Amino acid sequence: SLSNFTYKELEDGKTSNSVSMPQFELQGLSWDNLVFDQQLKAERVTLYRPVINYSVANNKRFKSGDVFQTLAGIGNFMQLDNLNINNGQVNLFFKNNTELRLENASMSVLGKRLVGSRRVTNIQRSVNELFFKQGFLKMGGITTSLTDVNFTGGASNQLHAGNVEVKNKNELNINATGVVIQSMIIDDDIQHTLISGIRWNKADIRLSVFPDQNKKNTAGFTLKKIEGGNTTILAADRGK
């Protein structure tokens, strides 16, 4: 067990990814990789209250913006076979100023399985467990907040959230409780989020029927395979 540790990954002399924490535990540390290759490689690592800054734009291995894949990549950049995070702050930075921040996050990542994965389903299973108290996704003018989120790996690969709220200024406001999500893909090139396989117990949806069609390069999202119960929808024409 070690205290007050900081790990940084550099690209062109600038920090691209970093991890800092007041305490962590290592098992099976490779000193050769650490000293000669400046790479943290261990069989199992547990990070306590870490702050992780991870740049997805600099990750050349993956092209997709699948959230599970992105989280699993945290273990890959540190070359860890088994990474455990306890009550941490995880900040994911995409292109075009898109950000995903997870607060009070705990997760388990199998980095070794991730490195050998070639299919998205296997990459998703690299994330064994995930829980965070609060999460924020910012993409253009859209802000999404997720509360009390829990994910356990397996065949279903479902993400459960106590509450999900999506806002886009005066054009959109979605507030849903008891939410289950199968897949969430962030395309930061065109600032678009695809949520597929979503259901909720209750939701209030307010939107403008005819948003401004003259806007260009605005962020947006698509919902597919929707199953919602006890849903209220309020739609109004712009300016009315």
Side-chain angles (χ1 to χ4, degrees):
S1 177
L2 300 174
S3 301
N4 298 322
F5 178 82
T6 299
Y7 173 80
K8 295 182 179 180
E9 188 175 73
L10 302 179
E11 182 171 330
D12 298 327
K14 298 181 180 179
T15 301
S16 58
N17 302 309
S18 68
V19 180
S20 61
M21 71 220 74
Q23 183 181 5
F24 75 108
E25 294 179 357
L26 285 174
Q27 293 180 3
L29 174 65
S30 173
W31 288 102
D32 288 341
N33 284 88
L34 184 61
V35 175
F36 297 107
D37 299 331
Q38 296 183 341
Q39 195 172 60
L40 179 60
K41 186 174 183 179
E43 293 178 0
R44 179 184 177 90
V45 176
T46 301
L47 313 181
Y48 296 96
R49 302 185 304 281
V51 177
I52 299 175
N53 296 305
Y54 182 60
S55 177
V56 181
N58 293 327
N59 188 346
K60 299 178 181 180
R61 173 175 166 78
F62 300 120
K63 301 298 183 183
S64 169
D66 184 272
V67 170
F68 295 110
Q69 172 181 307
T70 301
L71 291 170
I74 294 174
N76 185 44
F77 96 78
M78 290 191 293
Q79 292 294 300
L80 302 176
D81 293 344
N82 195 330
L83 170 65
N84 297 288
I85 296 172
N86 191 319
N87 195 25
Q89 170 82 34
V90 180
N91 305 315
L92 306 178
F93 301 100
F94 299 80
K95 291 185 292 185
N96 296 322
N97 297 318
T98 299
E99 300 179 5
L100 176 61
R101 299 181 181 272
L102 310 181
E103 298 178 354
N104 302 113
S106 296
M107 61 184 289
S108 176
V109 174
L110 297 177
K112 189 173 183 179
R113 180 185 295 180
L114 170 72
V115 172
S117 296
R118 290 296 182 271
R119 301 176 62 184
V120 172
T121 53
N122 292 334
I123 293 170
Q124 290 179 346
R125 290 169 187 162
S126 299
V127 180
N128 262 0
E129 297 178 346
L130 168 66
F131 170 81
F132 55 90
K133 185 66 177 177
Q134 195 80 33
F136 300 95
L137 171 63
K138 294 183 179 180
M139 174 180 286
I142 295 179
T143 301
T144 302
S145 64
L146 303 94
T147 305
D148 294 329
V149 174
N150 183 58
F151 166 83
T152 53
S156 61
N157 279 304
Q158 293 181 339
L159 186 147
H160 298 257
N163 180 263
V164 175
E165 186 172 14
V166 181
K167 292 184 177 181
N168 184 17
K169 297 181 180 179
N170 296 324
E171 294 181 358
L172 175 69
N173 190 325
I174 299 176
N175 194 318
T177 58
V179 180
V180 178
I181 297 174
Q182 287 277 7
S183 174
M184 184 165 68
I185 297 177
I186 301 172
D187 191 332
D188 46 1
D189 283 327
I190 61 174
Q191 293 191 317
H192 191 91
T193 300
L194 170 62
I195 299 176
S196 180
I198 180 173
R199 67 177 186 267
W200 56 75
N201 295 332
K202 181 181 179 181
D204 293 321
I205 302 175
R206 302 189 180 195
L207 70 159
S208 297
V209 176
F210 304 108
D212 192 347
Q213 301 296 322
N214 295 322
K215 291 184 178 180
K216 297 182 179 180
N217 300 322
T218 56
F221 71 94
T222 299
L223 302 179
K224 296 177 62 177
K225 301 179 181 178
I226 303 171
E227 181 181 342
N230 196 16
T231 303
T232 301
I233 300 177
L234 177 61
D237 196 352
R238 180 176 298 275
K240 297 183 180 180

